[in-house]
Amino acid sequence: MIAADRLDRTSARLLLVEADGTMRDLPRAHLGALLDPGDLVVANDAATLPASLHGTHLQCGNTIEIRLAGWLSPSAPVRFLVIVFGSGDHRTRTEDRLPPPALSSGDRLQLGPLEAKVERVLDHPRLVELSFEGTRAAMFAGLAQHGRPIQYAHVPEPLALWDVWTRIAARPVAFEAPSASFALDWRTLQAWRRREIGFATLTHAAGISSTGDPALDSRLPFDEPYHIPECTVAQIAQAQLRGSRIFAIGTSVVRALEAAANPDGSVRAGDGIATGRIARGTPLRVVDAVLTGVHQPGESHFELLRAFADDGLLASASTALTACGYRAHEFGDSMLLNRQSLIYRREPSPRAT
């Protein structure tokens, strides 16, 4: 598919896939008119960190790039799971990047003003646990000074941090942009408000989309922490009581809500960690539809969509996306996929009976 190299809200497209399999190719600007009064939209308000850092492996003097890929522990905010590359930059395709220098536990990295230590090398030479020296505040200051947004070769010019922040970005915890939210603008939010469509947010630490290695990519997404406010949980409960639909803006929202779901479809407020994959056969207890980007079969984001629709419908949607020239990647076009009723039928909450 065509790779979008910049955000273009004016010409963005939206493929609407209904639960019965019918599809419509629309301007994405029509998003504000596609929901019904009483429906609830939930979006991820995570801001994106400058999670790519270049530096030097002090033991051998070779250049290195690390990409922050996961928080190891909420109680230790200077420790990360990271993907490591050798010399080069984003203009080389991720899968063609040189391997990193051989790393061992205790090795030190100089990353601009930051110094970091390899805590341990995991079961892949590109996957390590890393801790930064100093305080959390010093680490964030170093990231702001030296880090760059993670980006890929389809965007040749370096991205600024504001390029990867959505209109609703708040707490900086994501490693790549929760890019489905690029579809949101103030006009759409205003249209939903006028039509009495609810809007709520949660914060989910969206992870990386590609490591450049098929074996590592098969493990994506890594465990990702989230926070769901009490007010969002209350809005979900009210929508469920009305029998209204819940729309997730992006796969990260699906992961958070389904990780926090109780068997009856109610949602727990507070902090949690989304673990494992949502895929074909995963029961969906909360989310009725997802707004997502254009994804390819085999990608972790596409695998999540298999919980919403059978493979035949997804194949038809992929054909339509290609035929209509939809653009892929984080700045690309969108698909609004309604859950097929035969995939999973949520039992009514006791509060609704």
Side-chain angles (χ1 to χ4, degrees):
M1 292 183 179
I2 303 166
D5 60 1
R6 66 187 185 282
L7 183 61
D8 182 1
R9 290 188 172 90
T10 303
S11 63
R13 308 297 299 172
L14 173 68
L15 183 69
L16 173 64
V17 183
E18 300 283 10
D20 63 2
T22 60
M23 301 180 197
R24 283 191 285 163
D25 168 40
L26 301 166
R28 197 164 67 190
H30 287 194
L31 180 60
L34 296 179
L35 280 63
D36 298 327
D39 288 342
L40 176 66
V41 176
V42 184
N44 184 1
D45 66 4
T48 309
L49 291 164
S52 167
L53 296 105
H54 287 78
T56 305
H57 178 222
L58 294 178
Q59 272 65 31
C60 69
N62 289 346
T63 58
I64 196 169
E65 179 193 356
I66 69 160
R67 295 182 181 181
L68 306 181
W71 300 88
L72 285 178
S73 170
S75 62
V78 296
R79 299 177 63 240
F80 295 89
L81 184 70
V82 304
I83 306 297
V84 191
F85 299 90
S87 60
D89 61 22
H90 69 275
R91 293 181 178 86
T92 300
R93 295 191 315 160
T94 308
E95 53 268 38
D96 297 330
R97 288 289 300 274
L98 292 174
L103 298 172
S104 301
S105 298
D107 285 0
R108 308 192 79 81
L109 310 179
Q110 190 68 49
L111 305 164
L114 295 170
E115 189 169 324
K117 182 178 71 173
V118 175
E119 292 191 356
R120 63 177 178 143
V121 180
L122 301 178
D123 57 351
H124 190 286
R126 280 189 169 176
L127 187 65
V128 305
E129 293 181 358
L130 191 80
S131 61
F132 288 96
E133 300 294 325
T135 64
R136 178 178 182 271
M139 180 197 71
F140 275 108
L143 290 179
Q145 178 183 344
H146 183 66
R148 303 287 302 184
I150 293 173
Q151 70 178 94
Y152 300 95
H154 66 276
V155 181
E157 297 303 317
L159 294 171
L161 188 57
W162 52 82
D163 291 326
V164 295
W165 280 33
T166 68
R167 294 286 177 87
I168 60 170
R171 183 180 168 197
V173 296
F175 302 111
E176 289 188 18
S179 55
S181 290
F182 285 136
L184 301 180
D185 55 30
W186 304 126
R187 182 175 298 179
T188 298
L189 296 179
Q190 185 181 47
W192 284 338
R193 185 173 183 177
R194 284 198 306 265
R195 300 182 60 238
E196 298 184 340
I197 293 163
F199 182 76
T201 60
L202 54 79
T203 307
H204 180 104
I208 61 174
S209 57
S210 176
T211 68
D213 182 276
L216 279 180
D217 283 350
S218 69
R219 306 184 193 184
L220 297 178
F222 296 133
D223 294 351
E224 296 166 344
Y226 61 82
H227 175 78
I228 305 178
E230 291 277 1
C231 59
T232 296
V233 167
Q235 286 180 267
I236 291 170
Q238 291 165 7
Q240 290 173 331
L241 222 78
R242 294 190 300 267
S244 298
R245 297 173 299 173
I246 296 170
F247 288 78
I249 305 296
T251 57
S252 63
V253 174
V254 178
R255 289 198 80 206
L257 291 180
E258 296 299 333
N262 295 309
D264 66 354
S266 60
V267 176
R268 301 181 297 275
D271 297 323
I273 298 178
T275 61
R277 277 191 169 196
I278 294 175
R280 177 77 176 162
T282 303
L284 298 174
R285 296 183 170 90
V286 182
V287 180
D288 298 295
V290 57
L291 181 75
T292 186
V294 176
H295 305 298
Q296 306 283 353
E299 296 175 349
S300 62
H301 293 79
F302 186 92
E303 289 300 302
L304 182 143
L305 302 182
R306 299 180 74 206
F308 285 82
D310 62 38
D311 290 348
L313 179 55
L314 291 177
S316 297
S318 293
T319 299
L321 292 167
T322 301
C324 295
Y326 273 57
R327 301 165 302 157
H329 295 289
E330 69 269 38
F331 299 135
D333 298 307
S334 302
M335 177 172 67
L336 181 58
L337 177 64
N338 287 274
R339 191 180 74 211
Q340 284 183 285
S341 58
L342 295 180
I343 294 295
Y344 180 79
R345 188 181 300 276
R346 182 176 64 214
E347 296 298 326
S349 167
R351 293 166 300 182
T353 59

